[in-house]
């Protein structure tokens, strides 16, 4: 969580981060934890945050993505829901 907050800080976006249900792993399948992230800021900052998240050591599957623009398209608000996989 600290690393993801660092990505948000570097990208100058706001971040609200919530964990959901945990699913235990079975055999070759890893465990997973539900996650919801709400991100707000400039479009450039949002894209920088996504790039940092993609390049991180976490394996995250985004299942639901909702994005809206405000202030003439200069501000982005996005909610991402998915799973973080862990071994």
């Amino acid at each position: 969580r600290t690393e993801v907050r660092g990505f948000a800080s570097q990208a100058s976006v706001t971040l609200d981060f919530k964990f959901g249900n945990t699913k235990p792993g079975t055999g070759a399948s890893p465990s997973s934890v539900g996650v919801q992230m709400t991100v707000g800021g400039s479009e450039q900052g949002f894209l920088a945050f996504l790039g940092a998240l993609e390049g991180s050591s976490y394996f995250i599957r985004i299942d639901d993505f909702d994005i809206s623009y405000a202030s003439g398209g200069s501000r982005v608000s996005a909610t991402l829901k998915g799973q973080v996989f862990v071994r």
Side-chain angles (χ1 to χ4, degrees), residues 2-24:
T2 303
E3 184 178 7
V4 175
R5 290 197 186 282
F7 297 155
S9 177
Q10 290 173 351
S12 298
V13 295
T14 60
L15 175 67
D16 181 36
F17 196 92
K18 296 177 185 171
F19 287 108
N21 296 331
T22 301
K23 295 180 185 174

Side-chain angles (χ1 to χ4, degrees), residues 18-38:
K18 296 177 185 171
F19 287 108
N21 296 331
T22 301
K23 295 180 185 174
T26 56
S29 298
S31 299
S32 66
V33 178
V35 66
Q36 177 177 318
M37 293 178 275
T38 304

